[in-house]
Amino acid sequence: GWQVSTKSGSLSYILPCSRLPVQLMSQVRVYTSNGQKKDLGSEDTNGSARGETLHKVETGQDTANAGQKQSSPKQPIQVKVKAVLKKREYGPKYTQNNFITGVRAINEFCLKSSDLDQLRKIKRRSPHDDTETFTVYLRSDVEAKSLEVWGSPEALARERKRRKEAEIKYRENLFRNQRLLWEYKEFFGNTKPRSSTAAMFFKGPGKVVMVAICINGLNFFFKLLAWVYTGSASMFSEAIHSLADTCNQALLALGISQSARTPDPSHPYGFTNMRYIASLISGVGIFMMGAGLSWYHGIMGLLHPHPVESLLWAYCILAGSLVSEGATLLVAINEIRRSARAKGLSFYQYVVQSRDPSTNVVLLEDAAAVLSVAVAATCMGLTSLTGNPYYDSVGSLGVGTLLGTVSAFLIYTNTEALLGRSIEPEQLQRLTELLESDPVVRAIHDVKATDMGMSKVRFKAEVDFDGRVVTRSYLEKQDIEQLLQEIQQVKTLEELEAFMLKHGENIIDMLGAEVDRLEKDLKQRNPDVRHVDLEIL
């Protein structure tokens, strides 16, 4: 059985009561987290006494069992002690090693720029494409400086509250001043040079929209006069159609001007989707004003027919409308062809994917206008030949159906664009292959590429980086001889910890630089990609 027990330091052994000779370690070393080692010695006084007792027991047993074969050779028991660093407890909130910019330090801690001159300045890799490095400060240093300046956390909190109230008051005054400035411009005239927003309406989609507004406005005026003179249901539908087109294109012009606004903290990705919103509302307007009123007037004409007056002037106005609407249609077609050629797409793909919603609306509205003029002229001709007013009412229903089809297409395409549809599979495959062909990337997962509208793509992927390649890239930029000397000088745990922390942080910075490089490559090789989010696995 187990009858004999020995103890050395904090290590205990239970030995069987056989003739197994025991030889304890002559010395036990215990390493602490700070790198110090403690020698517990060979054996303490109690250990010596227990050793003597054990010797006596062994001697008695050897005498009683004389004549038996000699004991087996002595086998020492070895104990391995693992040296580990003591785990640090950071708590639920730890901000001592955080870096903050000078702007945040001034705004959040109510400091002056002169206060920051006395703090440690740290150069870090910049998150912006236009600069390589920028200056940051340790948050702990900034907090200590703010307490030194304001005396106590309570005083700092009071100052923050006061500045918040002053900011709210400033915004209220700014809104009031902007309104006064607008009134001043209306009274004295705006002598400010033409802005970039106004210049948008002299080229591209803005030019197409402005031409359409002018032509459709004139068409509405003349068609309305023709309807008042003739009382034709088809002419009324045409007048309503031109009015709807004018209003919708004015809405498109508003969307174009709003989409040119610069991003702000509330809208970090900008206002480009305002074009899709305006086009969506335009599609709803075409359906309500154009299709709805045309159907209503056509149905009323079938239920309550009345004779149609001379249609000569109506034919003349329809002919002029056909020419003007055709001219606007040609302008829209040429603009879409030019844009589609620049994107490497066909005319059909460019329209269906709603790459330029404003031009698409003008194109479809003018195409519907040309077809509706042909339908109205045909039905009015049948009415004048046969004297039957039902043909005219059927023409009004036909124009309403055509407008309803156009509005349904606009609502569908713009809704798809606003929901954030994925890009084409071929384009996504090119982006994926570009990442996977890079040596620092092992694999990519959960790839998402969303079309944000107006040829702006947001790309997101989970990336499994090859740590060996990243580390090798770091070592290639170091002096290996000097690095070897640093390793040879490491003697204690404190020196080892400092060495690992120094180069570990540098390797993390190298990994961040690799992420920036990949994002830059994606944007350069695919100009449509504007926002890239690579998450490290």
Side-chain angles (χ1 to χ4, degrees), residues 171-187:
R171 289 180 178 177
E172 293 176 352
N173 293 334
L174 181 63
F175 177 76
R176 189 180 301 110
N177 292 336
Q178 287 177 343
R179 187 175 60 182
L180 293 175
L181 182 61
W182 181 260
E183 294 176 355
Y184 170 82
K185 290 179 179 179
E186 287 184 344
F187 183 76

Side-chain angles (χ1 to χ4, degrees), residues 232-274:
S232 170
S234 297
M235 187 54 65
F236 175 80
S237 298
E238 280 299 305
I240 293 300
H241 184 187
S242 296
L243 175 62
D245 288 351
T246 304
C247 295
N248 290 332
Q249 285 151 7
L251 185 63
L252 293 178
L254 177 63
I256 291 176
S257 64
Q258 291 296 314
S259 65
R261 294 169 57 187
T262 56
D264 56 27
S266 301
H267 305 85
Y269 290 107
F271 298 84
T272 54
N273 281 342
M274 281 299 300

Side-chain angles (χ1 to χ4, degrees), residues 329-373:
L329 179 62
L330 289 177
V331 173
I333 290 175
N334 291 333
E335 177 63 25
I336 290 180
R337 281 180 176 174
R338 185 186 62 80
S339 301
R341 194 182 304 111
K343 296 294 181 181
L345 300 173
S346 65
F347 185 89
Y348 175 77
Q349 289 176 332
Y350 193 88
V351 174
V352 171
Q353 295 178 11
S354 191
R355 293 288 181 141
D356 187 354
S358 303
T359 309
N360 277 2
V361 172
V362 175
L363 171 71
L364 295 175
E365 285 183 346
D366 289 340
V370 171
L371 293 177
S372 63
V373 167

Side-chain angles (χ1 to χ4, degrees), residues 21-297:
V22 178
Q23 180 178 356
L24 299 178
M25 292 181 65
S26 62
Q27 190 177 25
V28 178
R29 295 180 180 178
V30 178
Y31 290 86
T32 62
S33 61
N34 56 9
Q36 298 178 357
K37 61 183 179 180
K38 299 180 180 179
D39 297 338
L40 298 181
S42 305
E43 295 169 330
D44 55 6
T45 305
N46 296 332
S48 300
R50 282 190 288 270
E52 294 175 0
T53 303
L54 179 62
H55 177 68
K56 291 179 182 180
V57 172
E58 291 178 351
T59 304
Q61 290 179 351
D62 290 340
T63 305
N65 298 284
Q68 296 181 359
K69 61 181 180 179
Q70 292 183 347
S71 304
S72 59
K74 297 180 180 181
Q75 297 180 358
I77 300 177
Q78 298 181 356
V79 179
K80 294 183 179 180
V81 180
K82 184 179 180 180
V84 296
L85 289 175
K86 183 179 179 181
K87 183 179 180 180
R88 291 187 179 182
E89 298 293 339
Y90 293 101
K93 183 178 180 181
Y94 184 79
T95 59
Q96 296 303 313
N97 291 337
N98 287 10
F99 294 143
I100 62 174
T101 61
V103 176
R104 283 191 60 190
I106 293 174
N107 293 335
E108 296 183 12
F109 294 92
C110 305
L111 297 176
K112 300 177 181 178
S113 57
S114 58
D115 298 329
L116 301 180
D117 295 338
Q118 307 171 10
L119 303 181
R120 289 178 291 177
K121 298 179 177 62
I122 303 172
K123 293 291 185 180
R124 300 294 295 176
R125 184 171 47 84
S126 174
H128 308 291
D129 297 335
D130 54 348
T131 55
E132 294 184 358
T133 60
F134 73 134
T135 303
V136 294
Y137 303 87
L138 269 175
R139 185 186 181 96
S140 55
D141 293 347
V142 175
E143 290 177 348
K145 186 63 178 180
S146 65
L147 292 179
E148 177 186 344
V149 172
W150 296 104
S152 64
E154 292 77 11
L156 178 59
R158 288 194 298 269
E159 178 63 18
R160 286 175 175 171
K161 182 178 179 181
R162 187 190 67 80
R163 293 193 179 190
K164 188 67 176 179
E165 294 174 351
E167 181 181 359
I168 295 174
K169 187 176 180 181
Y170 169 77
R171 289 180 178 177
E172 293 176 352
N173 293 334
L174 181 63
F175 177 76
R176 189 180 301 110
N177 292 336
Q178 287 177 343
R179 187 175 60 182
L180 293 175
L181 182 61
W182 181 260
E183 294 176 355
Y184 170 82
K185 290 179 179 179
E186 287 184 344
F187 183 76
F188 290 99
N190 188 2
T191 58
K192 184 178 179 180
R194 181 179 296 158
S195 63
S196 58
T197 303
M200 294 178 61
F201 294 103
F202 293 91
K203 60 181 181 180
K207 177 182 178 181
V208 175
V209 171
M210 294 304 296
V211 170
I213 289 176
C214 297
I215 291 178
N216 284 317
L218 292 175
N219 288 340
F220 165 70
F221 177 74
F222 289 112
K223 287 178 181 179
L224 184 64
L225 292 179
W227 170 71
V228 171
Y229 179 75
T230 62
S232 170
S234 297
M235 187 54 65
F236 175 80
S237 298
E238 280 299 305
I240 293 300
H241 184 187
S242 296
L243 175 62
D245 288 351
T246 304
C247 295
N248 290 332
Q249 285 151 7
L251 185 63
L252 293 178
L254 177 63
I256 291 176
S257 64
Q258 291 296 314
S259 65
R261 294 169 57 187
T262 56
D264 56 27
S266 301
H267 305 85
Y269 290 107
F271 298 84
T272 54
N273 281 342
M274 281 299 300
R275 295 195 183 191
Y276 292 97
I277 295 174
S279 299
L280 178 62
I281 298 175
S282 177
V284 176
I286 293 174
F287 183 81
M288 298 295 294
M289 294 181 61
L293 289 178
S294 296
W295 283 333
Y296 170 78
H297 207 72

Side-chain angles (χ1 to χ4, degrees), residues 404-420:
T405 304
V406 171
S407 65
F409 178 80
L410 291 176
I411 291 172
Y412 171 76
T413 55
N414 288 285
T415 302
E416 285 290 309
L418 289 173
L419 287 177

